[in-house]
Every structure is written in C-alpha cells, then in structure tokens.
Amino acid sequence: MAAKLRLYLLEEAKPGMVLGADVVSARGKIMLSANTILTDGMIQRLSCWGFTGIVIIEDDAESPALRNKKRADRVVFNAQYDQTVTIVKKAFEHIRMFKEIPFEQIREVTDDTVMALIGTPGALGYLHSLRSIDNYTFQHSVNVAIIVGVLCKWLDRGEEETKELIFAGLLHDIGKALVPPEILNKPGKLTPPEMGIMKRHATLGYEAARKAAILNRDVLKGIWQHHERLDGSGYPQGIGGEEVAFSAKIVAIADIYDAMTSDRVYRNRLTPFAAIKTLFESMFDKLDAAICTVFLSNLKDYFVGTAVNLTDGRLGEIIYMDGLAWDRITVKTADGECIELHENHDIQIDVFFYA
Ligand SMILES: [Fe+2]
C-alpha cells in the first residue's frame, strides 16, 4: 500500500525530486510534507536544520497519473478530515455550554464525511501526519471514528452497523466536555482525586447521550464501556468478558492505538510499532483477541515498504512484518544490511516516514 520509496543522503538530493514522506523534526514537527517537490532552497534549509537523509519517491515506481491521483485523494482527505475535526470541536463547545449533545450534526458527519474518509485507500496511514497537540481531544475523536470504520470494513460488518459504531467512536469521549478543563488539559500527571474525576467521563458521556435521545444500544455501550477491559480491570463498572459490548471492544482498540501514536502535552507520540506491541501484549486478557488479530494482521500492510530511522542512526526500509508476532520485523538498511529486529534487541525503530 505504501509508495515505492528510496532513501537518499541529503547531499544526493536534487531539485525536482518529490518527497516520499514527511520530514519530521526530533520534536515531531512536520518540516516538509510528503509529495513536496524539492527546490534548492529547501535542500539547503534541510541541511541547516541538521537532516542527513530524506525519502524520495522513485521516478519509475509510480506513473505520474497515479501519483497525481494519490495527491488529489490526499488533498480531499485532509479537507474532509479538517471539516470533521471542526464539527467535533464545536460539538464539544456546545455540550460544555449547554450540557447537551448536538447529535444531529454529529450524525450527519458520521453518515457522510466519515464514511467517505474510511473509503480512502491509506486512510489509517494518513492519520499519522495529521497530529496537533492543541486539537488532541477533537482529532482523537475523529481518528478513533476512522479507525473503527476501517476495522468494521476489515471485519465485514454491514453498512448500517458500521455507521452506528463510527458514531460511537466520534462520541466515545464526549463526556470529557463535562470534565473541568484544568483537569482535562493538565500538562502533568493527574493526582488520584483528579484521575477519579477524569474517569467519570465515560459515565458522563453515556448520560449525555441518553439525554440527547440517542437510543442505539451499541452507541450507548460504546461510550459507557470503552475503558472496560475483558479481565475486569477497567472502569467505570469493572465489568468483564461477555458483559462488555462489541462496540466498546472495538472502540477500546482504536482508542489505545490512536492515543499511543499521538503527541500529548506530557509526552511525544510513540511509533505505531510501540502501539502494536501494546495491543499484542493485551490481546489475550484485556482486549478482544479476534478483533485485535484482524486489526494487526491488516495493519502490517500499511508499514511494509515504509522508510524508517533506526535507533542506531541508520535509515532503512521495512521489507517484512509478521502480522501475528509484533517484533518480527525485517528492516533493510540504506547500506544493504537486512536486520531482524527480534534478534537485535539493541536496535529499534525510532522514527518512521509514512508516505
Ligand atoms: Fe475515554
């Protein structure tokens, strides 16, 4: 699914080459976006900023028509995504002021825009370059809805059920609009009493949804139970096993994956590989193993062919990833060495460049 890419030392880069991946600073800021056509000035700036390598789309890997179509798809995706984030942001402001969910608006965005977003090839990969700390809560709601929607497609769920589960994804954290902002946006670790207040968001969201006459049980349980875990270790009720609804199980997986791969005020984002490791470790006790298996085995298709920076400083490309063993990843470095990451625990993926 990823484009055919080649790693170049910056000194080999030439004007006119097309960036195959975002150039991201050590702090996670996007300095130049994928698909940018390089100019002399840009190459000089990258050198001043201390970058030594970049990822370029190989000339013969994609026809110009295909490349243009992908660029056009990406522009439409970004515009629809931004529009959805704005609507969710307004919905949060509305509920904070009026204590009620403007659910018709959210329903509309679910049925039209989010359904279109999940139909875009590469949608889950695009989410990795659309991150901002300021809009975290709203972007997270949209991201969870998109991940849930894509997962529903992989799980072969029908269109009507998919729409309800996307709706649950968009609304899953709506109760956070009723949590005091000083706790919600606190940059440091929450104290135990603050954590207790924060944890109320699941029940507050469920109650607000009921008050807004949202009657679908999947949606209500998706909101109320998305922090429940199958071993009973979650909240707010501490239920487990079959008591946890399917909608809550699917939202939980999307929630964990997106939260881990997002920048937070208290830490930088983790790579998808760290999130994948967590899902693997939790899938046999806390999360639904069947849903995790489908998610992880499909997710690997996004990352094979992806350029990465290793913790030893070398650039490389993922050439193999096992969908059912999180650490079985093979990286071919720019100098031609193939590294099995599960046999070289000292070397890990530090940064990845999704095209
Ligand atoms: Fe939550």
Side-chain angles (χ1 to χ4, degrees):
M1 198 159 301
K4 259 294 166 203
L5 304 169
R6 208 190 124 193
L7 292 158
Y8 278 74
L9 291 172
L10 195 60
E11 63 207 43
E12 299 173 318
K14 292 185 177 54
M17 286 179 164
V18 181
L19 273 181
D22 296 334
V23 177
V24 184
S25 74
R27 295 175 61 87
K29 187 166 185 289
I30 295 174
M31 311 304 281
L32 284 176
S33 299
N35 294 319
T36 300
I37 298 168
L38 285 178
T39 63
D40 243 334
M42 289 175 189
I43 296 169
Q44 282 172 30
R45 276 203 301 282
L46 288 172
S47 174
C48 291
W49 289 332
F51 289 95
T52 54
I54 47 172
V55 181
I56 294 293
I57 297 177
E58 289 209 297
D59 274 340
D60 54 352
E62 286 185 332
S63 69
L66 178 62
R67 199 182 308 153
N68 286 339
K69 179 170 183 322
K70 284 174 89 172
R71 274 185 218 172
D73 282 352
R74 180 85 180 245
V75 169
V76 172
F77 183 91
N78 288 359
Q80 289 178 325
Y81 179 89
D82 287 344
Q83 184 195 345
T84 312
V85 171
T86 303
I87 290 171
V88 170
K89 189 174 182 174
K90 282 185 181 154
F92 268 75
E93 284 161 5
H94 186 98
I95 184 173
R96 184 164 283 145
M97 286 176 76
F98 303 109
K99 311 283 181 245
E100 62 174 30
I101 301 176
F103 86 95
E104 288 92 351
Q105 267 177 301
I106 303 180
R107 185 80 245 186
E108 217 170 284
V109 91
T110 298
D111 292 352
D112 300 335
T113 323
V114 183
M115 285 301 279
L117 288 170
I118 67 167
T120 307
L124 289 199
Y126 290 169
L127 298 184
H128 290 290
S129 58
L130 293 165
R131 307 281 194 203
S132 115
I133 292 181
D134 299 339
N135 271 340
Y136 171 72
T137 304
F138 321 116
Q139 284 200 332
H140 175 64
S141 302
V142 176
N143 293 355
V144 168
I146 292 172
I147 296 168
V148 165
V150 171
L151 242 171
C152 283
K153 282 172 62 175
W154 289 339
L155 288 162
D156 250 340
R157 311 302 282 210
E159 187 177 326
E160 285 316 305
E161 187 185 8
T162 298
K163 284 181 180 172
E164 295 302 340
L165 294 176
I166 288 174
F167 194 43
L170 267 183
L171 290 176
H172 79 284
D173 268 348
I174 199 80
K176 285 188 177 172
L178 300 168
V179 170
E182 60 275 17
I183 294 179
L184 185 64
N185 303 318
K186 185 176 173 181
K189 206 170 179 287
L190 296 180
T191 62
E194 288 169 339
M195 184 57 86
I197 294 171
M198 183 66 133
K199 284 183 171 180
R200 289 180 55 211
H201 78 274
T203 304
L204 290 171
Y206 165 73
E207 285 167 355
R210 279 188 53 181
K211 229 168 88 186
I214 295 170
L215 299 175
N216 183 290
R217 287 165 60 84
D218 290 337
V219 176
L220 291 173
K221 289 191 172 175
I223 298 168
W224 197 15
Q225 300 178 352
H226 71 274
H227 286 290
E228 301 288 1
R229 296 293 176 257
L230 301 193
D231 61 1
S233 63
Y235 64 89
Q237 299 176 92
I239 55 173
E242 289 309 305
E243 292 174 297
V244 183
F246 175 78
S247 57
K249 293 175 188 169
I250 197 169
V251 169
I253 292 167
D255 184 24
I256 292 170
Y257 180 78
D258 187 68
M260 288 190 73
T261 54
S262 296
D263 287 320
R264 305 299 296 272
V265 276
Y266 49 87
R267 64 150 170 77
N268 285 340
R269 74 182 82 171
L270 301 171
T271 67
F273 311 102
I276 286 169
K277 178 176 182 245
T278 298
L279 292 178
F280 264 115
E281 286 169 351
S282 306
M283 68 187 272
F284 296 108
D285 52 1
K286 297 182 187 310
L287 302 173
D288 185 283
I291 303 174
C292 275
T293 303
V294 169
F295 184 52
L296 296 171
S297 57
N298 279 281
L299 205 55
K300 77 174 195 308
D301 293 338
Y302 273 83
F303 298 115
V304 173
T306 297
V308 293
N309 216 343
L310 298 173
T311 46
D312 66 359
R314 283 188 289 176
L315 292 164
E317 177 186 334
I318 295 178
I319 57 170
Y320 175 77
M321 201 168 156
D322 189 319
L324 291 177
W326 65 269
D327 60 346
R328 290 196 176 261
I329 297 174
T330 308
V331 173
K332 187 173 181 184
T333 63
D335 47 27
E337 189 186 344
C338 285
I339 301 177
E340 308 282 348
L341 292 187
H342 64 283
E343 290 172 2
N344 289 276
H345 294 288
D346 299 343
I347 305 173
Q348 290 304 315
I349 293 169
D350 190 19
V351 184
F352 82 107
F353 309 92
Y354 188 82

